[in-house]
C-alpha cells in the first residue's frame, strides 16, 4: 500500500494507492490542496479512482466535487449523506476495490449521522469519529453522543489493537496512532460507562469552527466558498501594483480608467485621484451607461482587493478584455501614503 498523508492546518487528507495497479483513492481532500494532491499522485505513479469524504465536514471545504469534475471520477460517501453530488453511496460493511486493496466501510455515526471509517489492511481511516487523544465532537448538526459511544465502544475499538489509526484531524503534528494506544491513553475513552461518556460529550462546551455555516453549506450542496470564488476570479484577471498605479496617476494617464467599486461613503472618504465610482452591487446594472467603450483599459479597486478582483472578473466575462485589478486595496494605498482625493466625483 502506498500512503501519503497531507496536512492542512489541523486537517488531514490521505492518498492511498495500490502499488500493483497504480490505482488510488483520495480521502477527505481539502480545497486548497488540489494541486498538491495531483502532484503527489503523479510523483507516485498513481491514478486517482475514488474521491472519498468520511463525513460531511463542518470545519473545512471539501475538494471532492471540484476534483470529480476535473478528473471525471466518482465521489463516494456513506449512503445517508445529504450531498446531492455524491456519485457512489456506500453502506456499512461494503467495499470498494483499489487493485489488490479493499476499502471496507464501517458506519460510525456520532460526530455526524453520515460518518464512516475506512479499513484498509492494517489501517483504519477514522474521519472525525476517533482522533489521536480525542474523539469527534457531537454538538454540530446531526451529532449524537449516544451514537458516538456505540460507534466507538461497540465497533471501532473492537478492531485489533495493532491496527493503525489515521484521523481526519490532528492539531499537534501527530501522524498516526493505534487502536491499542487509544484505548490505553485517550482521555475520552477512559469514560467507558455510557452515561458518563454521554455526559462528558454534552458538557465539552467547545467553540464553533470558524467557517461552520459556509463549510456546511458548500459541503452539503456542492456550492462554492468565498475563497474558491476569489481564487477562480484571481486566476482569470491580471493585476497592477500600487506603485505602478501611483506612477500612472501622477503621469495623468488618460488611457486608464480607475474604477472604485466600493460604496459611496467609502469612496467619498478617500479615493485614488481621478477614480470613478461604480459600486460592485450596481456593476451589472450600470455598466453600459458608465463604461460604453469595452475597448478601454480599466482598473478596479476596493478596500482590501477582494471585491475588486471579483468585479474585474465579472467585467471580463461581460466583454471588457482589458480590465485589471489593483494588487492590494485602498487600505494599502493609504498605508503607503499615496495621494488621495475626497468628496464626490468631480
Amino acid at each position: 500500500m502506498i500512503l501519503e498523508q497531507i496536512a492542512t492546518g489541523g486537517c488531514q487528507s490521505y492518498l492511498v494507492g495500490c502499488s500493483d495497479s497504480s490505482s488510488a483513492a483520495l480521502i477527505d481532500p481539502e480545497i486548497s490542496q488540489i494541486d498538491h494532491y495531483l502532484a503527489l499522485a503523479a510523483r507516485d505513479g498513481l491514478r486517482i479512482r475514488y474521491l472519498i469524504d468520511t463525513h460531511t465536514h463542518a470545519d473545512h471545504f471539501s475538494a471532492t466535487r471540484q476534483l470529480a469534475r476535473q478528473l471525471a471520477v466518482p465521489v463516494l460517501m456513506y449512503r445517508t449523506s445529504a450531498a446531492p453530488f455524491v456519485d457512489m453511496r456506500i453502506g456499512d460493511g461494503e467495499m470498494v476495490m483499489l487493485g489488490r486493496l479493499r476499502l471496507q466501510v464501517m458506519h460510525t455515526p456520532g460526530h455526524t449521522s453520515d460518518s464512516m471509517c475506512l479499513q484498509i489492511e492494517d489501517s483504519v481511516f477514522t474521519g472525525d469519529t476517533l482522533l489521536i487523544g480525542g474523539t469527534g465532537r457531537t454538538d454540530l448538526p446531526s451529532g449524537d453522543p449516544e451514537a458516538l459511544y456505540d460507534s466507538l465502544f461497540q465497533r471501532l475499538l473492537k478492531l485489533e489493537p495493532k491496527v493503525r489509526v489515521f484521523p481526519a484531524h490532528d492539531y499537534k503534528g501527530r501522524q498516526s496512532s493505534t487502536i491499542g494506544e487509544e484505548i490505553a491513553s485517550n482521555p475520552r475513552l477512559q469514560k467507558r460507562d455510557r452515561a458518563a461518556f454521554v455526559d462528558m460529550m454534552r458538557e465539552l462546551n467547545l467553540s464553533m469552527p470558524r467557517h461552520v455555516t459556509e463549510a456546511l453549506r458548500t459541503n452539503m450542496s456542492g456550492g462554492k466558498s468565498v475563497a474558491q470564488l476569489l481564487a477562480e476570479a484571481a486566476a482569470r484577471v491580471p493585476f497592477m501594483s500600487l506603485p505602478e498605479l501611483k506612477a500612472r496617476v501622477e503621469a495623468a494617464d488618460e488611457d486608464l480608467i480607475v474604477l472604485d467599486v466600493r460604496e459611496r461613503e467609502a469612496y467619498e472618504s478617500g479615493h485614488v485621484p481621478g477614480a470613478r465610482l461604480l459600486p460592485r452591487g450596481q456593476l451589472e446594472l450600470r455598466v453600459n451607461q458608465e463604461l460604453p467603450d469595452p475597448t478601454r483599459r480599466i482598473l478596479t479597486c476596493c478596500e482590501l482587493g477582494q471585491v475588486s478582483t471579483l468585479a474585474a472578473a465579472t467585467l471580463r466575462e461581460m466583454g471588457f478584455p482589458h480590465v485589471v485589478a489593483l494588487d492590494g486595496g485602498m487600505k494599502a494605498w493609504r498605508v503607503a501614503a499615496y495621494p488621495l482625493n475626497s468628496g464626490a466625483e468631480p
Side-chain angles (χ1 to χ4, degrees), residues 32-110:
S32 68
Q33 294 278 18
I34 285 179
D35 289 341
H36 192 181
Y37 301 136
L38 298 178
L40 284 175
R43 187 197 68 185
D44 294 344
L46 297 172
R47 181 173 179 179
I48 298 172
R49 297 290 189 179
Y50 297 105
L51 301 161
I52 305 174
D53 272 325
T54 57
H55 61 288
T56 300
H57 298 283
D59 52 1
H60 74 261
F61 301 103
S62 172
T64 52
R65 192 181 190 196
Q66 183 170 331
L67 279 167
R69 291 196 299 264
Q70 191 168 336
L71 301 177
V73 298
V75 174
L76 188 154
M77 290 186 73
Y78 189 69
R79 63 181 181 83
T80 59
S81 170
F85 54 86
V86 176
D87 302 294
M88 183 183 296
R89 298 181 184 275
I90 193 164
D92 184 58
E94 297 174 357
M95 296 185 297
V96 292
M97 311 296 191
L98 281 178
R100 295 183 179 274
L101 297 179
R102 303 292 187 266
L103 285 68
Q104 183 164 356
V105 169
M106 179 187 296
H107 184 214
T108 53

Side-chain angles (χ1 to χ4, degrees), residues 188-216:
R188 293 192 189 174
L189 300 184
Q190 306 316 304
K191 300 282 189 180
R192 296 176 186 177
D193 174 76
R194 173 188 288 271
F197 179 86
V198 169
D199 288 344
M200 172 190 65
M201 296 304 298
R202 287 176 173 161
E203 294 171 2
L204 290 178
N205 194 28
L206 301 172
S207 60
M208 285 292 109
R210 182 179 176 188
H211 300 292
V212 58
T213 301
E214 187 181 16
L216 287 172

